[in-house]
Each structure stands twice: as C-alpha cells, then as structure tokens.
Amino acid sequence: MRPDDFRIGLRHLVRQPGYSAIAILGLSVAFAACLLLLGYVQYSWRYDAHVPRVEQIYVVKQRFNVDPVAPWFDQAPLLLRATALKTPGVVDATAFFRADVPTVKVGSTLHKMPSLLVLPRFAEVLGLRALEGDLDAALNRPEGLVLTLTTAQRLFGTPRALGRTVQIGDKALRVAAIVPDTPANTTIPFEALYGVNSVLNDPVMRSELQTGERGAWGRLLLRIDNPDAVPQVAAALQRTLDTAPAVQGVPPDVRARLGGRRVMDLALSPLREAYFDRDVARNPVSPPGDRGDRATVTGLALVALLILAIGAINYVNLATVRVLRRQREIGMRKVLGASARQIVLQFLAESLLVALLATVLGLLLAWLALPLFAELVNRKLEHLFAPANVAAALLIGVVLGLVAGLQPAWTALRVRPAQALAGRANTESRAGARLRKALTVLQIATAVGLASLAMAIALQTRFAVNASPGFDAAPLLIVDLPQRGKKNEAVRGFMAELGQQPGVHSLVLSEHVVGRTGNGLIQDIKRDGGASVSAETKMIDTNFFEVYKLKPVAGRLFDPRLDGENAIGPVVINAIAARQLGFATPSAAVGQTLLHPGEDGKLVPYRVLGIAPELRFRSLRDEPRATLYVLNTDWASVLSVRSTTAVRDAERAVAALWNRYFPDAIMHTERAGEVLGANYADDTRLARLLLLATLIALAITAFGMYALSGSIVQRRAREIVLRKLYGAGRARIAALLGRELGMLIAVAAVLGLPLAFIAIARYQAGFVEHAPLVQAMPWLALCGVALVTLLATLRHAWQALTMRPGRLLR
C-alpha cells in the first residue's frame, strides 16, 4: 500500500461525513466494549500469576463427610503440615488464616486492617521480599507486624513506617517490615501479616497452630516442584487423615451414617487455578467475590469477540453498499489502467484507515469508560492500558481492518466498467449478497442471545433478592459488635441503653445473621434408637423469635418469660429437621427428646419446645437444611435491632452510643434486606454487564440493518418500479420487503434461541428456586430485537414505497 492510497481513502471519508461517522463510531464502540470485556477476562485469568513459580504451589482442600451436604473447603487440618514436610516431593509447606479484620488505632484514628496470621515459611513459599526491614524477624517477634506499602502510607502518611506502633485492643505491635502491595487479582489478599508468636495469639492457640493436634483448620500451601509427585503426596496426607485421632474421633452413629466413606476426603489443587475452583466456591469460609466462574468468564470473552465481530460486520455491510454506489468511479479507474492489485490495495487501505481510526477512538472511549466499568464488575483494572495491551489493541485493529476490507475489495473487483459507465451498473454477486445477509443474521442472532440471557439473569436475580427470608426485613438493623457475649460488660451496657432509645422497639443478640454467608455449628442429633441427623445449629437469645416477629409452626418458640438465658436442654427445630429425624408430622416432634453427643462423648438430652418457621439462612443457591436453635449467647456478636419508626432512626441511636462503649472499634451496621441482597451482588453485576453488551449489540445491529435495507431497496429498485407499473400498491411493496427482512429474523431466531435457552437453563441450574416466566425471556428478546430492526429499516422502506417509476426508469 502506498501513502496515496491512504490519502485517497481519507479524502473519501471527509467527503461522506455521514457514512464515515456511522462506520467509525459503530466500529469504535464495538472495539471499546471488546477491549473492556477482554481486559476483565485477562484480569480473571491472571489470578495469582504474580507469585514466583506459582505452578509449583498447591492448595490442600478437603470435604468433611460428617456433614452430608458439606462442600469442599480450601482449609484443612494443620496437623497435615508436619506430614507434608516429611513427604518426598514436598519442597516446602506453610499455612495461613484469615483472621477477623482487626481495628487498629494509630494516634487517635481508627482503621480496619485485613490481616493474615501466617505460619513459618509463608514468605518463602509465596516469594515475598521485604522492601524495608527483616521479614523473618518481623514474623517471629511477639510484637512484630508486617505492612504492605499502601497500608503503611494509609496508616502513617508515609511508606517509611519501620518502628512505628499500632494499637490493637490492649496490644501494641511494632512495624518491623514493609512488603510490596499484593495485586488486586490474588486469592490471598492482605494488608498486614503477623506470625504464630504474636501477642495477638494466646498460648493455647500458639500451640495448636504449631501442632494442629486438636484438629484446627487453616489454609495449607505446599510447594511441589515435580507435578508427577502430586498423587503420592495427596495419598500420604490422606493416610494421615485416616488415622489422626483429631479427625477420626466421631461417634458410632456418625460412623454408621458414613457407611464406607472416609470421615474426610482430601485433594490437592493448583494455586494457579484457585480463583476458578468451583468446588470450594460455595463453602461458607470463602466469601462471595473470592471466586470466579470459568464458564462465565469464558462466555464474556466470547461476548467480547461477538461484539467486535458484529461491529466489523456492520462496517463490511456499510462499506459494500458504499462500493455499489461508487461503481462509476471504480469503472473509470479500471478504464484508466488501474490493475486488480491497485484496486484491492486501495480498498484495503480505506478499510485499514477506518479500522485504525476506530481503534484509536475505541481506546479513548474505553479509557473514559474504565472507571464506570471497573465499578460495574467490582474489579481493579488500572493496568488495562499497559503498553503491551495498547500495542495488542492496535495490532488487532490492523488485522481487523485488513480482514474487513476483503469483501468490499472483492465487490469492487467484480465491477464491469462498460456497464458502470453506461449507467447500467451491475449489482453485487448473489454470493456476495448471501454473505452479507449471513453476516447480518449473525448480528441479529447475537443480539437475541445476549438480550435473552441478560433479561433472564436480571429476572432470576430480582426474584432471589426479593424472595421472602421468612420474616419482614424492613424494620430490622444488623449491628456487628466488636465483643462477644452478654457477659461482656460493654456489650451488656450498650444493649441496655440502646433498648431505651427512641426509635428502638427491641433488640436481640445472636451468633449469625440470617442470610449472611457463614455456617453455624454442625451438630449431630437423633431420636432415641433412631439414626443421627446433621443439623445446622444457631445460637440465639430467648427473645430472638419475638424480635423477628415469628410464630411457631407447632408447639412454642423460646420465650424470655419462660426460658432462662443460656439454658441447656430446651431447643427449637425446623420442620426439615423434624422430617429427617423421622417424625410423621412437625407437631409430632414437639415435646420429644433428642440426643446429642457432648464433648466427653456422653449423650446430652435436648427437649423440643416447638417447630420454627423456615428462615433463609442461605441463599437460593443452597437447599434449606435441618436447623437447630439453642440458647447460647456466649459467642454471639450480632445484634438485631427492630425499629419503631424507620431504620435510620435506629442507626442514629446506635451511632450516638457507639463511641461511649466501643471507643476502639469502627461501627458497622447493615439493614437486614441489604444482608440478603449481598448474596446476589455478582449476579446483579453480571446482569448489568450483559445488558450493556446487549444495548451495544442492538445499536450496531440497527446500523447493519439500516445498511442492508438500503442495499435491498437499491438492488430491487427496478423490480419495485415494475411492480408499481403493473398495479402493485404500497401494501404489496411493503410485504415484498417484509418477507425478505422477516426471513433474516426467522433464521436468526433459529440460530440464537436454542443457544439462549441452553445458557439460561445452565444459569438457573445453580438455584434451587426459579423465577417464573424466565423461559419466556428469549421470546420477549426476539420480539424486542425484531422491533429494533423494523425501526432501523423504516427509512428505506418508506423510500421504496414512495419511489417514482418515471424518475428511476430515466
């Protein structure tokens, strides 16, 4: 290609500003959307890629079969670490815990500081290096603390924070090392580290962390340099589990229920694939957002490429129509001696120029939209415009321009100079027309598929968010207390004074929040002589059901006038537990005695007071399960506050008292409805993302249909005129055009609808309850896309209906 080819192409673009704007803008919007989506995909696929030799690191995960519905956990008994270090093939082993996020005090200012409690060799396994200070010494000293660079800047206003002190409760810790920030796309995020010997750990905990003899779980990481050794290492760890007293000490009833299964199954999974590990994604220790879905990310990559493809198709259609209108010019060039090579290079240069202009504009649009897009997907994508990514984008633009220019160049080659200059211009070949129709069908099918999936996900998510949790969440405020149990003086005083505040009707202390990710204690209960049942245990106070305004299904619920705090013996169960225990009806369980193995192995009797209504402690992705309510607030740290007027009045009352009772803690409150909705935050973001992609696809498809309808009218102009001369009215002409465009939509429906139904069914398979009418979304989407295409073709349809035969025949 010569510079003159680009100069001529630029001159043509300037002469036709309408065509140029539509062609460049449509392609640039598609390119911007593709770039943003692929940036998110690249971010997801590169989780933990910053770790040196990450392919050698494996996560030990296990499934505790004592709980019949237990998922896989990426936490395993710490006792396995000692075995791993002795096993051939294991180069190194460590473990860490995600401790409760502590509140640190620097001067008079409070900060939240997400921290990890790490075992020896953590830094070596993950390849951490100190920017300042001694990392090993910092993790071994009782008062030692390791901060990331950004955390040091946030806490002290400077990254040079060695020797500075923070206060956590009544403990003082000294910054002994500074490490680089962890990337946002890591499954092991932290702002601070402290070791086993830290003053934050009591002596009993230090011993357990080092030995694991009591069965404590942590996230175990092994470095294995030879992947062929992984099966042998897993087998050695499994043998340790199968003989460890801390794991195998289960009651005979549970052993009988297990049949021939192990108490705990074990597996090793590469850290490099931890983000997409769906086995552990639904366990309560991995909060929402810590995991991604490989199929979803792959689907978004496909969506990105489809959007870019329909943008290119739109350009090809517009460029081909433009070639048909330039046939006299092309014929004259051929008459003046232009070779086929020169014709092809000229149109490829024009296409390349459009593609490069669209690429540059697309990069600019993507840069402007990046903050909103990053917020939409809840990811930090600040490295999206790294030089390598920009260079790759420009290369894609060049390739796209060359590929998209092939069809217009081929159409130009088929122009016959004699006919073109005589005013009897030939049209494009049938093969070329069929190709452009096929491309348009692909556009429409893509739009139908995206619209169907976006609408279905939005409907299912709205259904899940609005599903009844079993109580009225509107007047309830959830307060997370920094101290546990009513025996704590600050908690007791805070609750007593808060209960007297205007706007507060009542309040209750419990261990867990209804709807928040997290498991209660799993207990085995049984009837005398019956099989044991695994039940999720909720520790609550006597007025829990009263504050939540719940009525019994049978019998009675806990009553502060009848039941003592922390009373051992009376319990409440739900109907699922009653059914699994073998009672004919829920009411038949009332008054019966259940047995539970205590810590000493002896059976502790429980007396069933009544049957509680079903509460949705889990999301709609999990089956409801047997639930046991016991009176125990020793470990409770969640306060549910019922307001008399509006929840904001209760929030103000909490804020007014907070600093008096908890001066060293940051207040955290949530409305009960927000707790439930947080389970579906990722679904909401996905629905919005697909909706945005759908709107872009529809807009580009509309441009494509506009160009195609113009081409159809131009190609069939003489036929339309002759039909008019023979008496055809506007209705018949409209039907003629409608049949051709309708066939395109029908073929697109045949291609797009089955895929849409499959994708929707796969998405809904993750829920135990489905929204009504979801299966109708593809048909609704088809109608919407058909309406958009109809509106896009109205101008050229009207042109065909009002065409004057005499003028055209002249």
Side-chain angles (χ1 to χ4, degrees), residues 269-346:
S269 177
L271 176 63
R272 189 68 177 84
E273 300 177 8
Y275 180 68
F276 290 126
D277 191 345
R278 301 306 296 172
D279 284 345
V280 302
R282 291 173 63 180
N283 79 55
V285 187
S286 295
D290 283 1
R291 305 291 173 189
D293 183 74
R294 193 187 304 270
T296 299
V297 173
T298 304
L300 289 176
L302 180 61
V303 168
L305 296 177
L306 284 174
I307 289 177
L308 186 60
I310 63 176
I313 291 169
N314 178 63
Y315 169 69
V316 169
N317 283 337
L318 289 171
T320 304
V321 172
R322 184 164 168 262
V323 168
L324 297 177
R325 293 174 179 173
R326 291 172 59 187
Q327 290 184 84
R328 290 196 178 192
E329 171 201 336
I330 297 167
M332 181 61 70
R333 285 178 179 273
K334 289 184 175 182
V335 169
L336 294 176
S339 65
R341 179 176 178 275
Q342 289 174 320
I343 295 293
V344 169
L345 290 179
Q346 174 62 50

Side-chain angles (χ1 to χ4, degrees), residues 52-61 80 83-94 124-126 220-237 266-271:
R53 295 178 295 170
V54 66
E55 68 282 352
Q56 297 180 3
I57 302 177
Y58 291 82
V59 178
V60 180
K61 61 183 187 180
L80 293 176
T83 301
L85 289 171
K86 300 175 185 176
T87 303
V90 177
V91 179
D92 214 338
T94 189
E124 289 79 2
V125 170
L126 291 185
L220 283 166
L221 300 176
L222 310 181
R223 184 178 288 281
I224 304 173
D225 57 2
N226 182 6
D228 294 336
V230 171
Q232 289 76 23
V233 173
L237 298 181
L266 181 141
L268 297 183
S269 177
L271 176 63

Side-chain angles (χ1 to χ4, degrees), residues 469 471 512-518 616-619 672 675-679:
F471 63 94
H512 287 100
V513 182
V514 179
R516 181 182 290 175
T517 299
R616 204 177 292 278
F617 281 96
R618 297 165 175 258
S619 76
V675 173
L676 299 165
N679 292 309

Side-chain angles (χ1 to χ4, degrees), residues 51-294:
V51 177
R53 295 178 295 170
V54 66
E55 68 282 352
Q56 297 180 3
I57 302 177
Y58 291 82
V59 178
V60 180
K61 61 183 187 180
Q62 54 82 18
R63 182 172 58 200
F64 193 50
N65 294 322
V66 170
D67 181 3
V69 296
W72 283 87
F73 289 82
D74 53 358
Q75 294 81 26
L78 289 177
L79 56 88
L80 293 176
R81 179 171 174 267
T83 301
L85 289 171
K86 300 175 185 176
T87 303
V90 177
V91 179
D92 214 338
T94 189
F96 67 91
F97 297 82
R98 284 182 181 173
D100 291 339
V101 179
T103 299
V104 301
K105 191 172 186 179
V106 179
S108 59
T109 307
L110 300 178
H111 304 269
K112 284 290 187 181
M113 189 176 69
S115 309
L116 296 182
L117 163 57
V118 301
L119 270 61
R121 309 293 298 171
F122 177 83
E124 289 79 2
V125 170
L126 291 185
L128 289 179
R129 296 290 181 268
L131 299 174
E132 291 186 68
D134 188 329
L135 186 55
D136 288 335
L139 294 176
N140 283 319
R141 293 174 185 166
E143 77 287 354
L145 183 66
V146 178
L147 297 181
T148 63
L149 202 63
T150 298
T151 306
Q153 178 73 41
R154 178 168 63 88
L155 295 182
F156 301 105
T158 174
R160 307 185 68 84
L162 283 184
R164 303 291 289 270
T165 301
V166 302
Q167 195 78 19
I168 301 179
D170 59 349
K171 306 291 193 303
L173 282 81
R174 188 178 301 274
V175 180
I178 304 294
V179 296
D181 296 329
T182 59
N185 53 344
T186 176
T187 56
I188 312 176
F190 63 87
E191 293 184 5
L193 303 173
Y194 60 92
V196 173
N197 297 320
S198 174
V199 294
L200 298 178
N201 303 323
D202 58 50
V204 175
M205 184 177 182
R206 290 176 199 162
S207 174
E208 177 63 12
L209 291 172
Q210 292 170 342
T211 64
E213 60 186 12
R214 297 188 178 184
W217 293 0
R219 192 171 182 190
L220 283 166
L221 300 176
L222 310 181
R223 184 178 288 281
I224 304 173
D225 57 2
N226 182 6
D228 294 336
V230 171
Q232 289 76 23
V233 173
L237 298 181
Q238 184 69 66
R239 286 193 295 271
T240 299
L241 283 182
D242 292 343
T243 57
V247 176
Q248 298 299 317
V250 298
D253 286 345
V254 176
R255 181 74 64 180
R257 190 177 71 221
L258 287 173
R261 293 190 302 161
R262 294 185 174 99
V263 173
M264 187 178 287
D265 287 324
L266 181 141
L268 297 183
S269 177
L271 176 63
R272 189 68 177 84
E273 300 177 8
Y275 180 68
F276 290 126
D277 191 345
R278 301 306 296 172
D279 284 345
V280 302
R282 291 173 63 180
N283 79 55
V285 187
S286 295
D290 283 1
R291 305 291 173 189
D293 183 74
R294 193 187 304 270

